[in-house]
């Protein structure tokens, strides 16, 4: 009798557990689009965490490359060496110099072709997990993963932006960036010239640094850098200050991505 009672009890427990599993699964399936958009899946976490592990060394290498104690020409060579070290696995997140197509799908196709098999491509691929309803722009898929990926892409953007700045200074200036190079002056020296180094349309320009460059009639150059934390307000800066801003922006983008990755992941 006791044995039959135990078997019946076990059966009842199994049925209850099965029902609970089914109810839970149904509840998960019935989550709102907004709820689903806030969750990073284990598969997405694995991809993002793998890329993230390789971004820390990029920032560390860039920080060492811009040591203000070494001459500008050497800093430029060091930054170029960092780019060469990482550019194969982390090509720039853009579709290149060709004209932007009108069809968004064509943009995605071009990115996939150029970035396939790279860490940048793994991040860019997460843009495909984002879709929006036409009526009201309501998220319908895993948007959180793309937000993390976008933050990590800004780190890569910053590396290329710093490289652009170094190339500009080496080519068009003398004396640690303080004087115009008469042999190869900048294209436009009328008044103040605002330039954005780095960034791409793919990341909304998030990896760029805005610089206001002022050319004096005596050939001297002065700079002001736009500070994101001050709403884009410009402050006087040296070339070394601007270099440091790229590394600071990259580190901040990495922290933002890490924070969201931990907050939104459901393992």
């Amino acid at each position: 009798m006791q044995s039959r009672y135990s078997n019946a009890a076990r059966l009842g427990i199994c049925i209850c557990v099965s029902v609970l599993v089914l109810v839970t699964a149904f509840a998960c399936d019935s989550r709102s689009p907004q709820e689903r958009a806030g969750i990073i899946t284990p598969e997405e976490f694995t991809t993002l965490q793998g890329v993230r592990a390789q971004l820390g060394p990029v920032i560390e290498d860039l920080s060492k490359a811009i040591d203000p104690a070494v001459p500008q020409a050497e800093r430029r060579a060091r930054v170029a060496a960092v780019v060469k070290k990482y550019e194969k696995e982390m090509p720039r997140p853009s579709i290149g110099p060709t004209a932007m197509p009108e069809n968004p799908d064509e943009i995605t196709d071009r990115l996939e072709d150029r970035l396939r098999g790279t860490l940048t491509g793994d991040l860019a691929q997460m843009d495909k997990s984002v879709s929006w309803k036409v009526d009201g722009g309501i998220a319908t898929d895993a948007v959180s993963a793309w937000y993390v990926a976008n933050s990590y892409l800004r780190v890569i953007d910053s590396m290329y932006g710093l490289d652009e700045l170094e190339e500009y200074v080496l080519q068009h200036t003398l004396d640690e960036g303080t004087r115009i190079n008469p042999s190869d002056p900048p294209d436009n020296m009328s008044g103040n010239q605002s330039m954005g180094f780095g960034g791409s349309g793919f990341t909304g320009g998030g990896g760029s640094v805005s610089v206001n460059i002022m050319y004096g009639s005596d050939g001297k150059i002065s700079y002001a850098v736009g500070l994101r934390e001050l709403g884009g307000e410009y402050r006087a800066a040296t070339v070394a200050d601007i270099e440091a801003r790229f590394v600071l922006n990259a580190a901040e983008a990495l922290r933002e991505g890490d924070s969201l990755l931990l907050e939104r992941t459901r393992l």
Side-chain angles (χ1 to χ4, degrees):
M1 176 66 70
Q2 179 65 33
S3 176
R4 287 198 300 272
Y5 177 82
S6 298
N7 289 338
R10 291 192 190 97
L11 180 59
I13 292 172
C14 289
I15 292 174
C16 288
V17 170
S18 299
V19 171
L20 179 60
V21 169
L22 290 173
V23 169
T24 302
F26 179 79
C28 290
D29 288 342
S30 62
R31 285 180 311 210
S32 70
Q34 290 88 346
E35 289 171 329
R36 294 200 309 274
I39 294 176
I40 294 172
T41 67
E43 292 78 11
E44 291 166 337
F45 176 84
T46 299
T47 298
L48 290 166
Q49 185 70 356
V51 176
R52 186 258 177 260
Q54 301 190 56
L55 292 177
V58 174
I59 297 175
E60 183 178 352
D61 287 349
L62 289 176
S63 181
K64 293 177 181 178
I66 61 171
D67 181 358
V70 303
Q72 183 69 51
E74 184 175 343
R75 299 206 299 273
R76 196 282 170 271
R78 290 183 177 188
V79 171
V82 173
V83 172
K84 184 175 182 180
K85 178 180 178 180
Y86 293 107
E87 63 184 353
K88 183 176 180 180
E89 283 299 313
M90 303 179 194
R92 190 166 194 160
S94 68
I95 62 172
T98 55
M100 289 286 287
E102 294 183 4
N103 184 354
D105 290 337
E106 187 178 344
I107 297 176
T108 302
D109 290 343
R110 285 193 195 177
L111 277 168
E112 287 183 355
D113 289 342
R114 199 175 69 80
L115 305 178
R116 184 177 288 110
T118 69
L119 297 180
T120 303
D122 289 343
L123 293 173
Q125 185 73 11
M126 290 192 174
D127 187 32
K128 296 186 71 175
S129 70
V130 180
S131 57
W132 298 87
K133 288 183 179 178
V134 176
D135 52 341
I138 300 173
T140 60
D141 212 334
V143 178
S144 287
W146 168 237
Y147 287 158
V148 176
N150 190 270
S151 292
Y152 290 167
L153 285 170
R154 281 163 45 203
V155 177
I156 301 174
D157 258 344
S158 295
M159 176 179 71
Y160 288 101
L162 178 56
D163 188 56
E164 285 179 5
L165 173 71
E166 299 294 346
E167 182 179 7
Y168 176 89
V169 172
L170 182 68
Q171 180 177 352
H172 298 301
T173 77
L174 301 172
D175 297 342
E176 304 298 297
T178 61
R179 289 196 307 113
I180 298 169
N181 180 3
S183 299
D184 193 353
D187 294 334
N188 179 14
M189 294 186 294
S190 58
N192 298 345
Q193 182 180 4
S194 292
M195 297 184 65
F197 295 95
S200 68
F202 196 67
T203 58
S208 67
V209 171
S210 181
V211 182
N212 198 355
I213 307 175
M214 294 143 279
Y215 305 99
S217 57
D218 58 356
K220 292 184 178 179
I221 305 175
S222 57
Y223 305 87
V225 63
L227 304 178
R228 189 173 301 159
E229 64 270 24
L230 297 179
E233 178 182 335
Y234 284 87
R235 293 288 178 87
T238 64
V239 172
D241 293 333
I242 302 169
E243 292 169 338
R245 174 56 49 171
F246 278 101
V247 178
L248 182 65
N249 284 0
E252 181 61 29
L254 188 63
R255 283 193 295 269
E256 289 177 3
D258 289 350
S259 178
L260 186 60
L261 181 63
L262 293 175
E263 175 189 338
R264 302 288 182 87
T265 297
R266 299 292 183 270
L267 296 178

